[in-house]
């Protein structure tokens, strides 16, 4: 069955329908990862977006037990070619069936290289995936221009508080360590660190990375009050990744201001990094086409060392007018010089734009979880 991808600039790509046949309008973004497509599909940060995979063959190892949440969140999926016969000892099904079961529309057979070049040249834009061969561009294009991602944090966050006990994580830490990654497997961590994880769309491996280090992780819905979190007397607070425009989360930012005013150590990733910045008067802005993939170099400004990181974000903290009495840049993107992390002055708070838990992607920066543990007292 034919399918069509219609961009808001009027460009139309024709391919083959995969997954659900329903029509969808979404923001179209691209990811440069060569593997990890299941983690991409199930990353809540993609809510409100349809993802183009730049790697030409997707699905060759099928569906494996590597989901980052209980369900996929992408609005649509766009690939050059889907593997017809997946092969892996952990394979539990095909990506085609996975898309159908979860009602996710997609399109295969698209020249993803040409599509990605358009998005790089013109910037991220909205688009429609449809099987309607009689589509009307004059009617569709205004609808595409009107589309906004909206309040997707409320959509993806957990509905009630839940607790992950130490070492309940699904993956085994020593098997997941890169050569430059965390040394956690060789450390003995205290078992009584209590972490309050604010779920703005948290990937499962953020909680796993803490649980594997002996922490008890309590996961809170995004709109939980700062008072409730602080009353639980956590040893540390984790602000998670998540989808959408950070500036739209006005109520959450007000609660983060209260968390900032406490003396509890705080570590924030991606959207959490942006929200902490906004809580301190540091603005954010939208990138032309964002950073999404597993090959982004970031430089630790304290050591000068460069790490390859996993990233998924369309917005960035604007540090041009950063008050050095509030925070100082901690990491920078080697490719384009944008900010990748902040260290807050006089506070046990540091934040990063990239994903140290990776999954998918390199685990080079997993040591940042160890740094967070050290802020709370360190290893025994």
């Amino acid at each position: 069955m034919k399918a069509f991808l219609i961009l808001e600039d009027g460009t139309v790509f024709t391919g083959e329908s995969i997954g659900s046949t329903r029509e969808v309008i979404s923001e179209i973004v691209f990811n440069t990862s060569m593997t990890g497509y299941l983690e991409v599909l199930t990353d809540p940060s993609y809510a409100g977006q349809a993802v183009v995979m730049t790697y030409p063959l997707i699905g060759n190892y099928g569906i494996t037990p590597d989901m980052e949440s209980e369900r996929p969140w992408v609005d649509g999926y766009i690939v050059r070619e889907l593997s017809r016969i997946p092969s892996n000892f952990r394979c539990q099904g095909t990506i085609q069936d996975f898309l159908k079961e979860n009602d996710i529309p997609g399109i295969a057979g698209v020249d993803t290289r040409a599509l990605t070049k358009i998005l790089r040249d013109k910037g991220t834009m909205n688009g429609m995936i449809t099987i309607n061969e009689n589509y009307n561009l004059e009617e569709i294009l205004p609808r595409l221009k009107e589309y906004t991602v909206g309040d997707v944090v409320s959509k993806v966050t957990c509905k009630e508080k839940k607790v992950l006990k130490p070492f309940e994580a699904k993956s085994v830490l020593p098997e997941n360590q890169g050569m430059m990654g965390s040394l956690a497997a060789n450390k003995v961590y205290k078992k009584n660190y209590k972490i309050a994880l604010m779920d703005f769309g948290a990937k499962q491996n953020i909680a796993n990375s803490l649980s594997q280090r002996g922490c008890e992780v309590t996961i809170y819905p995004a709109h939980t009050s700062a008072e409730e979190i602080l009353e639980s007397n956590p040893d540390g607070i984790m602000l998670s990744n998540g989808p959408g425009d950070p500036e739209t989360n006005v109520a959450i930012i007000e609660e983060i201001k209260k968390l900032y005013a406490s003396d509890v150590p705080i570590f924030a990733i991606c959207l959490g990094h942006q929200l902490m910045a906004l809580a301190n008067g540091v603005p954010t802005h939208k990138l032309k086409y964002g950073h999404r993939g597993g090959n982004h170099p970031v430089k630790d400004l304290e050591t000068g060392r460069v790490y390859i990181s996993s990233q998924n974000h369309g917005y960035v903290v604007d540090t041009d007018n950063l008050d050095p009495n509030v925070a100082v840049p901690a990491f920078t993107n080697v490719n384009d010089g944008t900010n990748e992390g902040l260290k807050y002055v006089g506070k046990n708070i540091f934040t990063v734009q990239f994903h140290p838990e990776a999954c998918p992607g390199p685990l080079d920066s997993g040591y940042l979880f160890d740094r967070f543990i050290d802020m709370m007292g360190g290893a025994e």
Side-chain angles (χ1 to χ4, degrees):
M1 181 184 305
K2 278 187 178 181
F4 307 90
L5 171 64
I6 304 169
L7 300 180
E8 67 176 273
D9 70 345
T11 304
V12 179
F13 289 86
T14 302
E16 175 187 354
S17 175
I18 56 175
S20 171
T21 57
R22 69 180 176 88
E23 189 172 275
V24 65
I25 293 176
S26 189
E27 185 177 62
I28 311 298
V29 300
F30 63 88
N31 184 294
T32 58
S33 298
M34 297 174 66
T35 62
Y37 50 80
L38 183 60
E39 291 93 331
V40 169
L41 285 166
T42 57
D43 182 349
S45 292
Y46 283 112
Q49 298 175 328
V51 181
V52 182
M53 301 300 292
T54 63
Y55 191 70
L57 179 63
I58 298 296
N60 56 311
Y61 53 88
I63 298 300
T64 55
D66 299 310
M67 294 176 63
E68 284 298 319
S69 59
E70 295 179 353
R71 51 158 286 190
W73 289 102
V74 299
D75 282 351
Y77 206 52
I78 303 155
V79 300
R80 179 68 182 92
E81 181 180 356
L82 277 183
S83 175
R84 296 171 180 82
I85 306 175
S87 177
N88 186 277
F89 74 100
R90 302 166 70 234
C91 178
Q92 299 176 343
T94 67
I95 195 170
Q96 295 93 321
D97 289 341
F98 183 79
L99 293 173
K100 289 179 181 177
E101 291 165 2
N102 290 281
D103 196 29
I104 298 172
I107 180 170
V110 168
D111 185 345
T112 51
R113 182 176 182 179
L115 173 56
T116 301
K117 289 178 70 176
I118 291 174
L119 297 177
R120 282 179 58 90
D121 291 343
K122 298 185 177 181
T124 297
M125 64 181 77
N126 297 331
M128 171 188 284
I129 298 174
T130 181
I131 62 169
N132 181 10
E133 297 189 33
N134 298 314
Y135 61 83
N136 184 330
L137 278 181
E138 291 184 1
E139 183 270 331
I140 290 173
L141 294 183
R143 293 171 58 197
L144 298 183
K145 294 182 185 299
E146 292 171 0
Y147 173 81
T148 59
V149 172
D151 180 16
V152 277
V153 168
S154 296
K155 176 181 177 181
V156 302
T157 188
C158 61
K159 304 309 177 187
E160 57 185 20
K161 181 174 69 174
K162 52 188 176 182
V163 179
L164 181 68
K165 295 292 185 180
F167 306 112
E168 282 186 2
K170 297 177 182 178
S171 56
V172 180
L173 184 65
E175 295 180 356
N176 281 337
Q177 297 310 306
M179 289 179 64
M180 297 168 61
S182 169
L183 300 177
N186 298 319
K187 292 184 178 181
V188 177
Y189 287 95
K190 297 176 182 177
K191 302 301 190 292
N192 61 346
Y193 288 129
K194 293 168 53 181
I195 309 298
L197 171 56
M198 294 291 291
D199 178 13
F200 307 132
K203 292 171 61 183
Q204 179 62 41
N205 271 289
I206 292 178
N208 286 1
S209 296
L210 295 167
S211 175
Q212 290 162 337
R213 289 165 169 83
C215 299
E216 178 181 289
V217 184
T218 302
I219 304 170
Y220 290 89
H223 296 283
T224 304
S225 70
E227 288 81 5
E228 179 179 345
I229 292 172
L230 295 174
E231 283 173 4
S232 69
N233 294 315
D235 297 301
I237 298 171
M238 184 88 217
L239 307 182
S240 82
N241 64 293
D245 182 348
E247 292 186 355
T248 63
N249 297 286
V250 177
I252 294 174
I253 292 169
E254 289 303 311
E255 299 306 311
I256 292 177
K257 289 180 180 179
K258 301 173 188 176
L259 297 178
Y260 172 84
S262 74
D263 292 325
V264 181
I266 300 176
F267 179 26
I269 292 173
C270 202
L271 178 62
H273 157 74
Q274 298 164 1
L275 295 177
M276 179 58 76
L278 289 166
N280 284 277
V282 186
T284 61
H285 68 266
K286 191 172 186 178
L287 292 168
K288 185 177 181 180
Y289 48 81
H291 300 155
R292 299 174 181 89
N295 57 351
H296 292 264
V298 295
K299 184 175 182 179
D300 186 330
L301 297 179
E302 183 176 344
T303 66
R305 189 169 187 176
V306 174
Y307 299 88
I308 302 302
S309 68
S310 176
Q311 301 202 11
N312 173 18
H313 61 102
Y315 292 81
V316 67
V317 172
D318 186 351
T319 56
D320 288 346
N321 298 306
L322 180 65
D323 184 349
N325 295 313
V326 174
V328 294
F331 288 88
T332 188
N333 188 294
V334 177
N335 288 334
D336 62 12
T338 55
N339 178 258
E340 293 281 358
L342 293 173
K343 179 174 176 57
Y344 286 80
V345 177
K347 292 284 186 177
N348 266 340
I349 300 175
F350 75 99
T351 67
V352 294
Q353 182 64 75
F354 52 96
H355 286 263
E357 86 289 345
C359 299
L363 292 151
D364 295 13
S365 56
Y367 73 93
L368 293 175
F369 288 103
D370 302 322
R371 181 183 293 181
F372 184 37
I373 299 290
D374 290 340
M375 288 165 58
M376 296 182 289
E380 290 182 328

Coordinates of all heavy atoms in Angstrom, one line a residue, residues 214-290:
G214 N 23.1 1.0 43.9 CA 22.7 0.9 45.2 C 21.7 1.9 45.7 O 21.5 2.0 46.9
C215 N 21.1 2.6 44.8 CA 20.1 3.7 45.3 C 18.7 3.1 45.2 O 18.3 2.3 44.4 CB 20.2 4.9 44.3 SG 21.8 5.7 44.3
E216 N 17.9 3.6 46.2 CA 16.4 3.4 46.1 C 15.8 4.6 45.4 O 15.9 5.8 45.9 CB 15.9 3.3 47.5 CG 14.3 3.1 47.5 CD 13.8 3.1 48.9 OE1 14.0 2.0 49.6 OE2 13.1 4.0 49.4
V217 N 15.2 4.4 44.3 CA 14.7 5.4 43.4 C 13.2 5.6 43.5 O 12.5 4.6 43.2 CB 15.1 5.2 41.9 CG1 14.7 6.4 41.1 CG2 16.7 5.0 41.8
T218 N 12.7 6.7 44.0 CA 11.3 7.0 44.0 C 11.0 7.9 42.8 O 11.5 9.0 42.7 CB 10.9 7.6 45.3 OG1 11.2 6.8 46.4 CG2 9.4 7.8 45.3
I219 N 10.1 7.4 41.9 CA 9.8 8.1 40.7 C 8.5 8.9 40.9 O 7.5 8.3 41.3 CB 9.7 7.1 39.5 CG1 11.0 6.3 39.4 CG2 9.4 7.9 38.2 CD1 10.9 5.2 38.4
Y220 N 8.6 10.2 40.7 CA 7.4 11.1 41.0 C 6.8 11.6 39.7 O 7.6 11.9 38.7 CB 7.8 12.3 41.8 CG 8.2 11.9 43.3 CD1 9.5 11.6 43.6 CD2 7.2 12.0 44.3 CE1 9.8 11.3 44.9 CE2 7.6 11.7 45.6 CZ 8.8 11.4 45.9 OH 9.2 11.1 47.2
P221 N 5.5 11.7 39.6 CA 4.9 12.4 38.4 C 5.4 13.8 38.3 O 5.8 14.5 39.3 CB 3.4 12.4 38.8 CG 3.2 11.2 39.7 CD 4.5 11.2 40.5
A222 N 5.4 14.3 37.1 CA 6.0 15.6 36.7 C 5.5 16.8 37.5 O 6.2 17.7 37.8 CB 5.9 15.9 35.2
H223 N 4.2 16.7 37.9 CA 3.6 17.9 38.5 C 3.6 17.7 40.1 O 2.8 18.5 40.7 CB 2.2 18.1 38.0 CG 2.2 18.5 36.5 ND1 2.5 19.8 36.1 CD2 1.9 17.7 35.4 CE1 2.5 19.8 34.8 NE2 2.1 18.6 34.3
T224 N 4.4 16.8 40.6 CA 4.5 16.7 42.1 C 5.1 18.0 42.7 O 6.0 18.6 42.1 CB 5.4 15.5 42.4 OG1 4.9 14.3 41.8 CG2 5.4 15.3 43.9
S225 N 4.5 18.4 43.8 CA 5.0 19.7 44.4 C 6.4 19.4 45.0 O 6.8 18.3 45.4 CB 4.1 20.1 45.5 OG 4.1 19.2 46.6
A226 N 7.2 20.5 45.1 CA 8.5 20.5 45.7 C 8.4 20.1 47.2 O 9.2 19.4 47.7 CB 9.2 21.8 45.5
E227 N 7.3 20.5 47.8 CA 7.1 20.3 49.2 C 7.0 18.8 49.5 O 7.6 18.2 50.4 CB 5.9 21.0 49.7 CG 6.0 22.5 49.9 CD 5.8 23.2 48.6 OE1 5.5 22.6 47.6 OE2 6.1 24.5 48.6
E228 N 6.2 18.1 48.6 CA 6.1 16.6 48.8 C 7.4 15.9 48.6 O 7.8 15.0 49.4 CB 5.1 16.1 47.8 CG 4.9 14.5 47.9 CD 3.9 14.0 46.9 OE1 3.1 14.8 46.4 OE2 3.9 12.7 46.7
I229 N 8.2 16.3 47.6 CA 9.5 15.7 47.4 C 10.5 15.9 48.6 O 11.1 15.0 49.1 CB 10.1 16.2 46.1 CG1 9.3 15.7 44.9 CG2 11.6 15.7 45.9 CD1 9.7 16.3 43.6
L230 N 10.5 17.1 49.0 CA 11.5 17.5 50.1 C 11.0 16.9 51.4 O 11.9 16.5 52.3 CB 11.6 19.0 50.2 CG 12.2 19.7 49.0 CD1 12.2 21.2 49.2 CD2 13.7 19.2 48.8
E231 N 9.7 16.7 51.6 CA 9.3 16.0 52.9 C 9.7 14.6 53.0 O 9.8 14.0 54.1 CB 7.7 16.1 52.9 CG 7.2 17.5 53.3 CD 5.7 17.6 53.2 OE1 5.1 16.6 52.9 OE2 5.2 18.7 53.4
S232 N 10.0 14.0 51.8 CA 10.5 12.6 51.9 C 12.0 12.5 52.2 O 12.5 11.3 52.3 CB 10.3 11.9 50.5 OG 11.1 12.5 49.5
N233 N 12.6 13.6 52.4 CA 14.0 13.7 52.8 C 15.0 12.9 51.9 O 15.7 12.0 52.3 CB 14.2 13.2 54.3 CG 13.6 14.1 55.3 OD1 13.7 15.3 55.2 ND2 12.8 13.5 56.2
P234 N 14.9 13.1 50.6 CA 15.8 12.4 49.7 C 17.3 12.8 49.9 O 17.6 13.9 50.3 CB 15.3 12.8 48.3 CG 14.8 14.2 48.5 CD 14.1 14.2 49.9
D235 N 18.2 11.9 49.6 CA 19.6 12.2 49.6 C 20.0 13.0 48.3 O 21.0 13.7 48.3 CB 20.4 10.9 49.7 CG 20.2 10.2 51.0 OD1 20.4 10.8 52.0 OD2 19.7 9.0 50.9
G236 N 19.2 12.8 47.3 CA 19.5 13.5 46.0 C 18.2 13.5 45.2 O 17.3 12.8 45.3
I237 N 18.2 14.5 44.2 CA 17.1 14.7 43.3 C 17.6 14.6 41.9 O 18.6 15.2 41.5 CB 16.4 16.0 43.6 CG1 15.8 16.1 45.0 CG2 15.3 16.3 42.6 CD1 15.3 17.5 45.4
M238 N 16.8 13.8 41.1 CA 17.2 13.6 39.7 C 16.0 14.3 38.8 O 14.9 14.0 39.0 CB 17.2 12.1 39.4 CG 17.7 11.8 38.0 SD 19.4 11.7 37.8 CE 19.6 12.4 36.2
L239 N 16.4 15.2 37.9 CA 15.4 15.8 37.0 C 15.7 15.1 35.7 O 16.7 15.2 35.1 CB 15.6 17.3 36.9 CG 15.6 18.1 38.2 CD1 15.8 19.6 37.9 CD2 14.4 17.8 39.0
S240 N 14.6 14.5 35.1 CA 14.8 13.6 34.0 C 14.7 14.3 32.6 O 14.4 15.5 32.6 CB 13.7 12.5 34.0 OG 12.5 13.0 33.4
N241 N 14.9 13.6 31.6 CA 14.7 14.0 30.2 C 13.2 14.1 30.0 O 12.4 13.8 30.9 CB 15.3 13.0 29.2 CG 14.6 11.7 29.4 OD1 14.7 11.0 30.4 ND2 13.8 11.3 28.3
G242 N 12.8 14.6 28.8 CA 11.4 14.7 28.5 C 11.2 15.4 27.2 O 12.1 16.0 26.6
P243 N 9.9 15.4 26.7 CA 9.6 16.0 25.4 C 9.2 17.5 25.4 O 8.9 18.0 26.5 CB 8.5 15.2 24.9 CG 7.7 14.8 26.2 CD 8.8 14.7 27.2
G244 N 9.2 18.1 24.3 CA 8.5 19.4 24.1 C 9.4 20.6 24.4 O 10.6 20.5 24.7
D245 N 8.7 21.8 24.3 CA 9.4 23.1 24.5 C 9.5 23.3 26.0 O 8.5 23.3 26.7 CB 8.5 24.2 23.9 CG 9.1 25.6 24.0 OD1 10.1 25.7 24.8 OD2 8.6 26.5 23.4
P246 N 10.7 23.4 26.6 CA 10.8 23.6 28.0 C 10.1 24.8 28.6 O 9.6 24.8 29.7 CB 12.4 23.7 28.2 CG 12.9 24.1 26.9 CD 12.0 23.5 25.9
E247 N 10.0 25.9 27.8 CA 9.4 27.1 28.3 C 7.9 27.0 28.6 O 7.3 27.8 29.3 CB 9.6 28.3 27.4 CG 11.1 28.7 27.3 CD 11.3 29.9 26.5 OE1 10.3 30.4 25.9 OE2 12.5 30.4 26.4
T248 N 7.3 25.9 28.1 CA 5.8 25.7 28.3 C 5.5 25.1 29.7 O 4.4 25.1 30.1 CB 5.2 24.8 27.2 OG1 5.8 23.5 27.3 CG2 5.4 25.4 25.8
N249 N 6.5 24.6 30.4 CA 6.3 24.0 31.6 C 6.4 24.9 32.8 O 7.2 24.8 33.7 CB 7.4 22.8 31.8 CG 7.2 21.8 30.7 OD1 6.3 21.0 30.8 ND2 8.2 21.8 29.8
V250 N 5.5 25.9 32.8 CA 5.6 27.1 33.7 C 5.5 26.6 35.2 O 6.2 27.0 36.1 CB 4.6 28.1 33.4 CG1 4.6 29.2 34.4 CG2 4.8 28.6 32.0
A251 N 4.5 25.7 35.4 CA 4.2 25.3 36.8 C 5.4 24.4 37.3 O 5.8 24.5 38.5 CB 2.9 24.5 36.9
I252 N 5.9 23.6 36.5 CA 7.0 22.7 36.9 C 8.2 23.6 37.2 O 9.0 23.3 38.2 CB 7.3 21.7 35.8 CG1 6.2 20.7 35.6 CG2 8.6 20.9 36.1 CD1 6.3 19.8 34.5
I253 N 8.5 24.6 36.4 CA 9.6 25.5 36.7 C 9.5 26.1 38.1 O 10.5 26.3 38.8 CB 9.8 26.5 35.6 CG1 10.1 25.8 34.2 CG2 10.8 27.6 35.9 CD1 10.0 26.7 33.0
E254 N 8.3 26.5 38.5 CA 8.1 27.1 39.8 C 8.5 26.1 40.9 O 9.1 26.5 41.9 CB 6.7 27.6 39.9 CG 6.4 28.8 39.1 CD 7.3 30.0 39.3 OE1 7.5 30.3 40.5 OE2 7.8 30.5 38.4
E255 N 8.2 24.8 40.7 CA 8.5 23.8 41.7 C 10.0 23.6 41.7 O 10.6 23.4 42.8 CB 7.8 22.5 41.5 CG 6.3 22.7 41.5 CD 5.8 23.3 42.8 OE1 6.2 22.8 43.9 OE2 5.0 24.2 42.8
I256 N 10.7 23.7 40.6 CA 12.1 23.5 40.5 C 12.9 24.6 41.2 O 13.9 24.4 41.8 CB 12.6 23.3 39.0 CG1 12.1 22.0 38.5 CG2 14.1 23.4 38.9 CD1 12.4 21.8 37.0
K257 N 12.3 25.8 41.2 CA 12.9 26.9 41.9 C 13.0 26.6 43.4 O 14.0 26.9 44.1 CB 12.1 28.2 41.7 CG 12.2 28.8 40.3 CD 11.3 30.0 40.2 CE 11.4 30.7 38.8 NZ 10.5 31.9 38.7
K258 N 12.0 25.9 43.9 CA 12.0 25.5 45.3 C 13.0 24.4 45.6 O 13.7 24.4 46.6 CB 10.6 25.1 45.7 CG 9.5 26.1 45.5 CD 8.1 25.5 45.8 CE 7.0 26.5 45.4 NZ 5.7 25.8 45.6
L259 N 13.1 23.5 44.7 CA 14.1 22.4 44.8 C 15.5 23.0 44.8 O 16.4 22.6 45.5 CB 14.0 21.4 43.7 CG 12.6 20.6 43.7 CD1 12.6 19.7 42.5 CD2 12.4 19.9 45.0
Y260 N 15.7 24.0 43.9 CA 17.0 24.7 43.8 C 17.4 25.4 45.1 O 18.5 25.4 45.6 CB 17.0 25.7 42.7 CG 18.2 26.6 42.6 CD1 19.3 26.2 42.0 CD2 18.2 27.9 43.2 CE1 20.5 27.1 41.9 CE2 19.3 28.7 43.2 CZ 20.4 28.3 42.5 OH 21.5 29.1 42.5
A261 N 16.4 25.9 45.8 CA 16.6 26.7 47.0 C 17.0 25.7 48.2 O 17.5 26.2 49.2 CB 15.4 27.5 47.4
S262 N 16.7 24.4 48.1 CA 17.1 23.5 49.1 C 18.6 23.2 49.0 O 19.3 23.6 48.1 CB 16.3 22.2 48.9 OG 16.8 21.4 47.9
D263 N 19.1 22.4 50.0 CA 20.5 22.0 50.0 C 20.7 20.6 49.5 O 21.7 20.0 49.6 CB 21.1 22.1 51.4 CG 21.2 23.6 51.8 OD1 21.5 24.4 51.0 OD2 21.0 23.8 53.0
V264 N 19.6 20.0 48.9 CA 19.7 18.6 48.4 C 20.5 18.6 47.1 O 20.2 19.4 46.2 CB 18.3 18.1 48.2 CG1 18.3 16.6 47.7 CG2 17.5 18.1 49.5
P265 N 21.4 17.7 46.9 CA 22.2 17.5 45.6 C 21.2 17.2 44.5 O 20.3 16.4 44.6 CB 23.1 16.4 45.9 CG 23.3 16.3 47.4 CD 22.0 16.8 47.9
I266 N 21.4 17.9 43.4 CA 20.5 17.7 42.2 C 21.4 17.4 41.0 O 22.4 18.1 40.7 CB 19.7 18.9 42.0 CG1 18.8 19.2 43.2 CG2 18.8 18.8 40.7 CD1 17.9 20.5 43.0
F267 N 20.9 16.4 40.2 CA 21.5 16.1 38.9 C 20.4 16.1 37.9 O 19.3 15.5 38.1 CB 22.2 14.7 39.0 CG 22.8 14.2 37.7 CD1 23.3 15.1 36.7 CD2 23.0 12.8 37.5 CE1 23.9 14.6 35.5 CE2 23.6 12.4 36.3 CZ 24.0 13.3 35.3
A268 N 20.6 16.8 36.7 CA 19.5 16.9 35.8 C 20.0 16.5 34.4 O 21.2 16.9 34.0 CB 18.9 18.3 35.8
I269 N 19.2 15.9 33.6 CA 19.5 15.4 32.2 C 18.5 16.0 31.2 O 17.3 16.0 31.5 CB 19.5 13.9 32.2 CG1 20.6 13.3 33.0 CG2 19.6 13.4 30.7 CD1 20.6 11.8 33.1
C270 N 19.0 16.5 30.1 CA 18.2 16.9 29.0 C 17.1 18.0 29.3 O 17.5 19.1 29.6 CB 17.6 15.7 28.3 SG 17.2 15.9 26.6
L271 N 15.8 17.6 29.3 CA 14.8 18.6 29.6 C 15.0 19.1 31.0 O 14.8 20.3 31.3 CB 13.4 17.9 29.5 CG 12.2 18.9 29.8 CD1 12.2 20.1 28.9 CD2 10.9 18.1 29.8
G272 N 15.4 18.2 32.0 CA 15.7 18.6 33.3 C 16.7 19.7 33.4 O 16.6 20.6 34.2
H273 N 17.8 19.6 32.6 CA 18.8 20.6 32.5 C 18.2 21.9 32.0 O 18.6 23.0 32.6 CB 19.9 20.0 31.5 CG 20.7 21.0 30.8 ND1 21.7 21.7 31.4 CD2 20.7 21.5 29.5 CE1 22.3 22.5 30.6 NE2 21.7 22.4 29.4
Q274 N 17.4 21.9 31.0 CA 16.8 23.1 30.5 C 15.8 23.7 31.5 O 15.8 25.0 31.7 CB 16.0 22.8 29.2 CG 16.9 22.2 28.1 CD 16.1 21.6 27.0 OE1 14.9 21.5 27.0 NE2 16.8 21.0 26.0
L275 N 15.1 22.9 32.2 CA 14.1 23.4 33.2 C 14.9 24.1 34.4 O 14.4 25.1 34.9 CB 13.2 22.3 33.7 CG 12.3 21.7 32.7 CD1 11.4 20.6 33.3 CD2 11.3 22.8 32.1
M276 N 16.0 23.5 34.8 CA 16.8 24.1 35.9 C 17.3 25.4 35.5 O 17.4 26.4 36.3 CB 17.9 23.1 36.3 CG 18.8 23.7 37.4 SD 17.9 24.1 39.0 CE 17.7 22.4 39.7
A277 N 17.8 25.5 34.2 CA 18.3 26.8 33.7 C 17.2 27.8 33.7 O 17.4 29.0 34.2 CB 18.8 26.6 32.3
L278 N 16.0 27.5 33.2 CA 14.9 28.4 33.2 C 14.5 28.9 34.6 O 14.1 30.0 34.8 CB 13.7 27.8 32.4 CG 13.8 27.6 30.9 CD1 12.8 26.7 30.4 CD2 13.8 29.0 30.2
A279 N 14.6 27.9 35.5 CA 14.2 28.3 36.9 C 15.2 29.3 37.5 O 14.9 30.0 38.5 CB 14.3 27.0 37.8
N280 N 16.3 29.5 36.9 CA 17.3 30.4 37.3 C 17.5 31.6 36.4 O 18.5 32.3 36.4 CB 18.7 29.7 37.6 CG 18.7 29.0 38.8 OD1 18.9 29.5 39.9 ND2 18.4 27.7 38.7
G281 N 16.5 31.8 35.5 CA 16.5 32.9 34.6 C 17.4 32.8 33.4 O 17.6 33.8 32.7
V282 N 17.9 31.6 33.1 CA 18.7 31.4 31.9 C 17.8 30.9 30.8 O 17.1 29.8 30.9 CB 19.8 30.3 32.2 CG1 20.7 30.2 31.0 CG2 20.6 30.7 33.4
P283 N 17.7 31.6 29.7 CA 16.7 31.2 28.6 C 17.1 30.0 27.8 O 18.3 29.6 27.8 CB 16.7 32.5 27.7 CG 18.1 33.1 27.9 CD 18.5 32.8 29.3
T284 N 16.2 29.5 27.0 CA 16.4 28.4 26.1 C 15.9 28.9 24.7 O 15.1 29.8 24.6 CB 15.7 27.1 26.5 OG1 14.3 27.4 26.5 CG2 16.1 26.6 27.8
H285 N 16.4 28.2 23.7 CA 15.9 28.5 22.3 C 15.9 27.2 21.5 O 16.7 26.3 21.8 CB 16.7 29.6 21.6 CG 18.1 29.2 21.3 ND1 19.2 29.5 22.1 CD2 18.6 28.6 20.2 CE1 20.3 29.1 21.5 NE2 20.0 28.5 20.4
K286 N 15.2 27.2 20.5 CA 15.0 26.0 19.6 C 16.2 26.0 18.6 O 16.5 27.0 18.0 CB 13.7 26.0 18.9 CG 13.4 24.7 18.2 CD 12.0 24.6 17.7 CE 11.7 23.3 17.1 NZ 10.2 23.2 16.6
L287 N 16.8 24.8 18.5 CA 17.8 24.6 17.5 C 17.2 24.4 16.1 O 16.0 24.1 16.0 CB 18.7 23.3 17.8 CG 19.5 23.4 19.1 CD1 20.0 22.0 19.5 CD2 20.7 24.4 18.9
K288 N 18.0 24.6 15.1 CA 17.5 24.5 13.7 C 17.0 23.2 13.4 O 15.9 23.0 12.9 CB 18.6 24.9 12.7 CG 18.1 25.0 11.3 CD 19.2 25.4 10.3 CE 18.7 25.5 8.9 NZ 19.8 25.9 7.9
Y289 N 17.7 22.1 13.8 CA 17.2 20.8 13.6 C 17.6 19.8 14.7 O 17.3 18.6 14.6 CB 17.8 20.2 12.2 CG 19.3 20.4 12.0 CD1 20.2 19.5 12.6 CD2 19.7 21.4 11.2 CE1 21.5 19.7 12.4 CE2 21.1 21.6 11.0 CZ 22.0 20.7 11.6 OH 23.3 20.9 11.4
G290 N 18.2 20.3 15.8 CA 18.4 19.5 17.0 C 19.5 18.6 16.9 O 20.2 18.4 15.9

